[in-house]
Amino acid sequence: MRKILIRLLGVLAVLVSIYFIGALALVTFGVPGESVGGETLRFDELTNDAVQLPPLQTYTARDGSPLMYRHYAVDSDRALILLHGSGSHSEYLYPLAMAIAASGEANVYTPDLRGHGENPERRGDIDYIDQFIDDVADLMAHIQEERSFAQIIVGGHSSGGGLTLRFAESDYNNQADAYLLLAPYVAFNAPTTRPNSGGWATPYTGRIIGLILLNNVGITALNGLPAIDFDMPPEFRTGTETLSYTYRLNTGYAPQNYAVALEAIDVPLLLVAGGADEAFFADQYESTVTAYTEADVVILPDVSHMGAVVDEDVQMPVIEWLQNLK
């Protein structure tokens, strides 16, 4: 009996060694040799004359960090927190945020998420995987302290939509009175996602798998390693873009389980996307989302991925939905 036990322990030790050696090998060598390249997003659509762009303001997160946001102020007892997508910051949300505020339907708050913006403490990184949703909850508390709102809506574009879904599956879900998804990143394995988000994203797939294996057994020390790069053409760069993410930031920008996140939403939900989206399969949004929750889904022909926030055709469906919220 003792010999059998020793043999079993030996086999177990070998299996554990294989697990850790395999995971570390993936982390070390599972990086892309070069960028996928190919088509990228329509960044030329983001050029706009933001003459009324609100100045950046500061709120204090629970860890004491000063974080930045813009406030499109209006006389309304409703607030919309609108989260930007990968690689950028709050400024590109200006056309839609301005239109919503001008309609009088909601105050719009557009934060520069931690690790992004003009001068972040650590570009492309956060301290722990769920720090983004804690930061959004802290922004909620800040704006409620400044001005008590009857309704707070959480929304986001692209990866900001993914973060919105992560918020919905968190313990903070009951703090949102509605959700707005604009061409959202649902998950890497969702029917809506094109390979490498249409060619603009280059994930370190092997490294990500290795880090998942390590995180599954509580090892997080390597979560600050780069895990994904983004291909923004040089002519559209301003020095404020964030073109590489660590594993913990990239993981925190999407739901753990999109089905669970969608099932958790029992308040009004609007999804707007363009039929010409280069990053996602827009024709798959309705079936993917409504399989788990009730939602209004609007697909606009000829609107691109970036067009989901800058195209004027997007403004009216969003404003009309806000008008009909109770």
Side-chain angles (χ1 to χ4, degrees), residues 311-324:
D311 198 299
E312 290 184 0
D313 290 344
V314 175
Q315 298 170 8
M316 190 50 64
V318 173
I319 291 170
E320 289 179 349
W321 177 74
L322 290 170
Q323 290 171 341
N324 292 324

PDB file of all heavy atoms in Angstrom, residues 311-324:
ATOM      1  N   ASP A 311     -20.454  58.686 -35.929  1.00  0.00           N
ATOM      2  CA  ASP A 311     -21.406  58.882 -37.016  1.00  0.00           C
ATOM      3  C   ASP A 311     -22.694  59.502 -36.476  1.00  0.00           C
ATOM      4  O   ASP A 311     -23.237  59.072 -35.459  1.00  0.00           O
ATOM      5  CB  ASP A 311     -21.706  57.549 -37.693  1.00  0.00           C
ATOM      6  CG  ASP A 311     -22.332  57.722 -39.067  1.00  0.00           C
ATOM      7  OD1 ASP A 311     -23.432  58.309 -39.140  1.00  0.00           O
ATOM      8  OD2 ASP A 311     -21.737  57.271 -40.058  1.00  0.00           O
ATOM      9  N   GLU A 312     -23.211  60.494 -37.167  1.00  0.00           N
ATOM     10  CA  GLU A 312     -24.441  61.167 -36.722  1.00  0.00           C
ATOM     11  C   GLU A 312     -25.637  60.224 -36.714  1.00  0.00           C
ATOM     12  O   GLU A 312     -26.589  60.433 -35.951  1.00  0.00           O
ATOM     13  CB  GLU A 312     -24.732  62.368 -37.628  1.00  0.00           C
ATOM     14  CG  GLU A 312     -23.745  63.517 -37.454  1.00  0.00           C
ATOM     15  CD  GLU A 312     -24.119  64.729 -38.292  1.00  0.00           C
ATOM     16  OE1 GLU A 312     -25.155  64.672 -39.005  1.00  0.00           O
ATOM     17  OE2 GLU A 312     -23.389  65.731 -38.234  1.00  0.00           O
ATOM     18  N   ASP A 313     -25.609  59.157 -37.533  1.00  0.00           N
ATOM     19  CA  ASP A 313     -26.727  58.219 -37.566  1.00  0.00           C
ATOM     20  C   ASP A 313     -26.907  57.476 -36.247  1.00  0.00           C
ATOM     21  O   ASP A 313     -27.984  56.945 -35.970  1.00  0.00           O
ATOM     22  CB  ASP A 313     -26.517  57.197 -38.695  1.00  0.00           C
ATOM     23  CG  ASP A 313     -26.666  57.811 -40.080  1.00  0.00           C
ATOM     24  OD1 ASP A 313     -27.226  58.925 -40.167  1.00  0.00           O
ATOM     25  OD2 ASP A 313     -26.226  57.198 -41.065  1.00  0.00           O
ATOM     26  N   VAL A 314     -25.848  57.435 -35.439  1.00  0.00           N
ATOM     27  CA  VAL A 314     -25.920  56.729 -34.151  1.00  0.00           C
ATOM     28  C   VAL A 314     -26.636  57.566 -33.102  1.00  0.00           C
ATOM     29  O   VAL A 314     -27.257  57.035 -32.177  1.00  0.00           O
ATOM     30  CB  VAL A 314     -24.499  56.363 -33.671  1.00  0.00           C
ATOM     31  CG1 VAL A 314     -24.519  55.745 -32.278  1.00  0.00           C
ATOM     32  CG2 VAL A 314     -23.825  55.424 -34.664  1.00  0.00           C
ATOM     33  N   GLN A 315     -26.574  58.863 -33.243  1.00  0.00           N
ATOM     34  CA  GLN A 315     -27.045  59.751 -32.190  1.00  0.00           C
ATOM     35  C   GLN A 315     -28.538  59.623 -31.920  1.00  0.00           C
ATOM     36  O   GLN A 315     -28.964  59.551 -30.757  1.00  0.00           O
ATOM     37  CB  GLN A 315     -26.686  61.195 -32.540  1.00  0.00           C
ATOM     38  CG  GLN A 315     -25.190  61.428 -32.634  1.00  0.00           C
ATOM     39  CD  GLN A 315     -24.813  62.786 -33.201  1.00  0.00           C
ATOM     40  OE1 GLN A 315     -25.694  63.652 -33.396  1.00  0.00           O
ATOM     41  NE2 GLN A 315     -23.532  62.993 -33.461  1.00  0.00           N
ATOM     42  N   MET A 316     -29.353  59.579 -32.950  1.00  0.00           N
ATOM     43  CA  MET A 316     -30.797  59.575 -32.750  1.00  0.00           C
ATOM     44  C   MET A 316     -31.298  58.306 -32.062  1.00  0.00           C
ATOM     45  O   MET A 316     -32.116  58.389 -31.124  1.00  0.00           O
ATOM     46  CB  MET A 316     -31.535  59.790 -34.070  1.00  0.00           C
ATOM     47  CG  MET A 316     -33.035  60.046 -33.870  1.00  0.00           C
ATOM     48  SD  MET A 316     -33.393  61.346 -32.632  1.00  0.00           S
ATOM     49  CE  MET A 316     -32.674  62.766 -33.441  1.00  0.00           C
ATOM     50  N   PRO A 317     -30.860  57.089 -32.460  1.00  0.00           N
ATOM     51  CA  PRO A 317     -31.329  55.906 -31.726  1.00  0.00           C
ATOM     52  C   PRO A 317     -30.974  55.947 -30.238  1.00  0.00           C
ATOM     53  O   PRO A 317     -31.776  55.517 -29.401  1.00  0.00           O
ATOM     54  CB  PRO A 317     -30.606  54.749 -32.436  1.00  0.00           C
ATOM     55  CG  PRO A 317     -30.291  55.255 -33.792  1.00  0.00           C
ATOM     56  CD  PRO A 317     -30.044  56.721 -33.629  1.00  0.00           C
ATOM     57  N   VAL A 318     -29.792  56.457 -29.918  1.00  0.00           N
ATOM     58  CA  VAL A 318     -29.386  56.532 -28.517  1.00  0.00           C
ATOM     59  C   VAL A 318     -30.243  57.552 -27.769  1.00  0.00           C
ATOM     60  O   VAL A 318     -30.743  57.290 -26.668  1.00  0.00           O
ATOM     61  CB  VAL A 318     -27.891  56.890 -28.397  1.00  0.00           C
ATOM     62  CG1 VAL A 318     -27.507  57.130 -26.931  1.00  0.00           C
ATOM     63  CG2 VAL A 318     -27.031  55.784 -28.991  1.00  0.00           C
ATOM     64  N   ILE A 319     -30.437  58.717 -28.367  1.00  0.00           N
ATOM     65  CA  ILE A 319     -31.220  59.777 -27.721  1.00  0.00           C
ATOM     66  C   ILE A 319     -32.677  59.342 -27.548  1.00  0.00           C
ATOM     67  O   ILE A 319     -33.293  59.565 -26.496  1.00  0.00           O
ATOM     68  CB  ILE A 319     -31.113  61.080 -28.519  1.00  0.00           C
ATOM     69  CG1 ILE A 319     -29.682  61.637 -28.409  1.00  0.00           C
ATOM     70  CG2 ILE A 319     -32.132  62.112 -28.017  1.00  0.00           C
ATOM     71  CD1 ILE A 319     -29.403  62.784 -29.350  1.00  0.00           C
ATOM     72  N   GLU A 320     -33.241  58.702 -28.569  1.00  0.00           N
ATOM     73  CA  GLU A 320     -34.639  58.243 -28.476  1.00  0.00           C
ATOM     74  C   GLU A 320     -34.774  57.175 -27.370  1.00  0.00           C
ATOM     75  O   GLU A 320     -35.773  57.159 -26.642  1.00  0.00           O
ATOM     76  CB  GLU A 320     -35.107  57.690 -29.804  1.00  0.00           C
ATOM     77  CG  GLU A 320     -35.316  58.779 -30.867  1.00  0.00           C
ATOM     78  CD  GLU A 320     -35.769  58.215 -32.189  1.00  0.00           C
ATOM     79  OE1 GLU A 320     -35.718  56.957 -32.365  1.00  0.00           O
ATOM     80  OE2 GLU A 320     -36.198  58.991 -33.076  1.00  0.00           O
ATOM     81  N   TRP A 321     -33.788  56.305 -27.264  1.00  0.00           N
ATOM     82  CA  TRP A 321     -33.813  55.295 -26.204  1.00  0.00           C
ATOM     83  C   TRP A 321     -33.753  55.960 -24.829  1.00  0.00           C
ATOM     84  O   TRP A 321     -34.491  55.571 -23.913  1.00  0.00           O
ATOM     85  CB  TRP A 321     -32.626  54.354 -26.406  1.00  0.00           C
ATOM     86  CG  TRP A 321     -32.469  53.298 -25.355  1.00  0.00           C
ATOM     87  CD1 TRP A 321     -33.217  52.176 -25.167  1.00  0.00           C
ATOM     88  CD2 TRP A 321     -31.448  53.263 -24.333  1.00  0.00           C
ATOM     89  NE1 TRP A 321     -32.741  51.445 -24.098  1.00  0.00           N
ATOM     90  CE2 TRP A 321     -31.652  52.085 -23.579  1.00  0.00           C
ATOM     91  CE3 TRP A 321     -30.382  54.099 -24.009  1.00  0.00           C
ATOM     92  CZ2 TRP A 321     -30.831  51.726 -22.492  1.00  0.00           C
ATOM     93  CZ3 TRP A 321     -29.565  53.753 -22.936  1.00  0.00           C
ATOM     94  CH2 TRP A 321     -29.785  52.590 -22.194  1.00  0.00           C
ATOM     95  N   LEU A 322     -32.922  56.971 -24.684  1.00  0.00           N
ATOM     96  CA  LEU A 322     -32.853  57.693 -23.425  1.00  0.00           C
ATOM     97  C   LEU A 322     -34.181  58.373 -23.103  1.00  0.00           C
ATOM     98  O   LEU A 322     -34.628  58.382 -21.945  1.00  0.00           O
ATOM     99  CB  LEU A 322     -31.731  58.730 -23.484  1.00  0.00           C
ATOM    100  CG  LEU A 322     -30.298  58.195 -23.488  1.00  0.00           C
ATOM    101  CD1 LEU A 322     -29.308  59.312 -23.798  1.00  0.00           C
ATOM    102  CD2 LEU A 322     -29.961  57.547 -22.152  1.00  0.00           C
ATOM    103  N   GLN A 323     -34.807  58.926 -24.112  1.00  0.00           N
ATOM    104  CA  GLN A 323     -36.092  59.605 -23.901  1.00  0.00           C
ATOM    105  C   GLN A 323     -37.157  58.638 -23.400  1.00  0.00           C
ATOM    106  O   GLN A 323     -38.048  59.029 -22.636  1.00  0.00           O
ATOM    107  CB  GLN A 323     -36.564  60.252 -25.207  1.00  0.00           C
ATOM    108  CG  GLN A 323     -35.739  61.443 -25.642  1.00  0.00           C
ATOM    109  CD  GLN A 323     -36.087  61.930 -27.033  1.00  0.00           C
ATOM    110  OE1 GLN A 323     -36.683  61.203 -27.843  1.00  0.00           O
ATOM    111  NE2 GLN A 323     -35.716  63.157 -27.346  1.00  0.00           N
ATOM    112  N   ASN A 324     -37.069  57.382 -23.815  1.00  0.00           N
ATOM    113  CA  ASN A 324     -38.090  56.384 -23.452  1.00  0.00           C
ATOM    114  C   ASN A 324     -37.777  55.648 -22.161  1.00  0.00           C
ATOM    115  O   ASN A 324     -38.591  54.840 -21.705  1.00  0.00           O
ATOM    116  CB  ASN A 324     -38.257  55.379 -24.585  1.00  0.00           C
ATOM    117  CG  ASN A 324     -38.872  56.023 -25.822  1.00  0.00           C
ATOM    118  OD1 ASN A 324     -39.721  56.898 -25.714  1.00  0.00           O
ATOM    119  ND2 ASN A 324     -38.446  55.574 -26.994  1.00  0.00           N
TER     120      ASN A 324
END
